[in-house]
Amino acid sequence: AQSVTQLGSHVSVSEGALVLLRCNYSSSVPPYLFWYVQYPNQGLQLLLKYTSAATLVKGINGFEAEFKKSETSFHLTKPSAHMSDAAEYFCAVSKNNQGGKLIFGQGTELSVKP
Amino acid sequence: GAVVSQHPSWVICKSGTSVKIECRSLDFQATTMFWYRQFPKQSLMLMATSNEGSKATYEQGVEKDKFLINHASLTLSTLTVTSAHPEDSSFYICSVRERQPTTRAFFGQGTRLTVV
């Protein structure tokens, strides 16, 4: 069985500060991991995905995530937060790299203070 | 532009009525579509997998007779919430997966259902 745990339902940072959103996974098979962003009343947008090609994955809007098998983690980071980054972020795991049937974490709401 | 169109974006209905939500793939043919449900302050939960031309596969705990899914064409899947109750109020999101070889997945903008 696969599962995802996001530590912290809400994270608040100042504009320009480092963003760190935590995600730990559990999987009995090699996982494919995804980060999605959801703006209010909108669908999900793929930020980045890990498909075993490289452990450090760069995504859109300056986000990146590092897959650490020893820690079963896939934390999302961004060096400098922007006001427009305020949104809900979801980590997800899948058994394949197609991103279709996904198991999501509970989400982390990111607030950015001016 | 949008790859997946979901309609309506929000709907309010009376308890006991049925509501149909459409999910359209705009740019490509989708053999597989997924329906998720998101309760307030919670994560998305997969409800069912919709396959074109065949019956949908429902996740455990999801009532197939209450949540009717029809994937009649390669660009359209519909979710009908039958005899809706207030506890069905939620945010419903569809996801569309391309055909081979890329098989990328894209999400609709979601439908906010409120049952009063």
Side-chain angles (χ1 to χ4, degrees):
Chain A
Q2 295 181 306
S3 67
V4 175
T5 301
Q6 289 182 242
L7 299 177
S9 59
H10 185 258
V11 171
S12 182
V13 300
S14 298
E15 191 173 19
L18 170 71
V19 175
L20 171 60
L21 304 182
R22 300 178 185 274
C23 173
N24 288 87
Y25 70 91
S26 173
S27 179
S28 58
V29 298
Y32 294 93
L33 295 158
F34 306 79
W35 273 100
Y36 286 89
V37 60
Q38 183 183 31
Y39 296 100
N41 292 315
Q42 294 188 28
L44 296 171
Q45 181 181 6
L46 179 66
L47 279 176
L48 49 81
K49 63 179 179 181
Y50 166 75
T51 59
S52 76
T55 56
L56 182 62
V57 182
K58 293 186 182 299
I60 62 172
N61 301 339
F63 285 94
E64 62 181 38
E66 186 173 7
F67 172 72
K68 292 187 177 180
K69 185 177 180 180
S70 61
E71 299 177 7
T72 61
S73 69
F74 190 58
H75 301 331
L76 181 71
T77 60
K78 182 174 180 177
S80 177
H82 193 274
M83 296 297 290
S84 61
D85 295 327
E88 187 91 15
Y89 291 81
F90 291 95
C91 181
V93 64
S94 173
K95 292 182 180 179
N96 55 59
N97 66 354
Q98 297 163 5
K101 189 172 182 178
L102 295 157
I103 297 171
F104 288 88
Q106 65 270 43
T108 298
E109 183 179 2
L110 175 65
S111 299
V112 182
K113 298 175 292 186
Chain B
V3 177
V4 179
S5 176
Q6 202 172 323
H7 177 80
S9 56
W10 62 270
V11 58
I12 301 173
C13 71
K14 291 185 177 180
S15 185
T17 62
S18 295
V19 174
K20 179 185 287 187
I21 302 170
E22 293 186 347
C23 179
R24 292 183 183 274
S25 174
L26 301 179
D27 290 351
F28 55 84
Q29 294 180 326
T31 54
T32 305
M33 294 184 178
F34 301 88
W35 286 96
Y36 294 85
R37 178 170 55 184
Q38 182 183 28
F39 291 107
K41 300 298 183 182
Q42 295 186 30
S43 187
L44 291 90
M45 298 296 292
L46 179 65
M47 298 176 65
T49 302
S50 169
N51 297 296
E52 187 268 336
S54 64
K55 291 183 178 180
T57 302
Y58 290 82
E59 296 298 303
Q60 191 173 9
V62 178
E63 300 175 59
K64 62 180 181 180
D65 294 330
K66 180 171 183 61
F67 299 98
L68 302 179
I69 292 174
N70 185 6
H71 193 159
S73 76
L74 287 171
T75 59
L76 175 64
S77 175
T78 61
L79 168 68
T80 301
V81 182
T82 63
S83 186
H85 288 93
E87 56 263 33
D88 298 324
S89 298
S90 185
F91 194 54
Y92 293 85
I93 301 178
C94 71
S95 170
V96 171
R97 196 169 78 190
E98 281 184 305
R99 299 180 99 174
Q100 297 284 355
T102 60
T103 64
R104 291 175 299 172
F106 299 89
F107 286 83
Q109 70 271 36
T111 297
R112 172 77 60 194
L113 170 63
T114 302
V115 184
V116 297

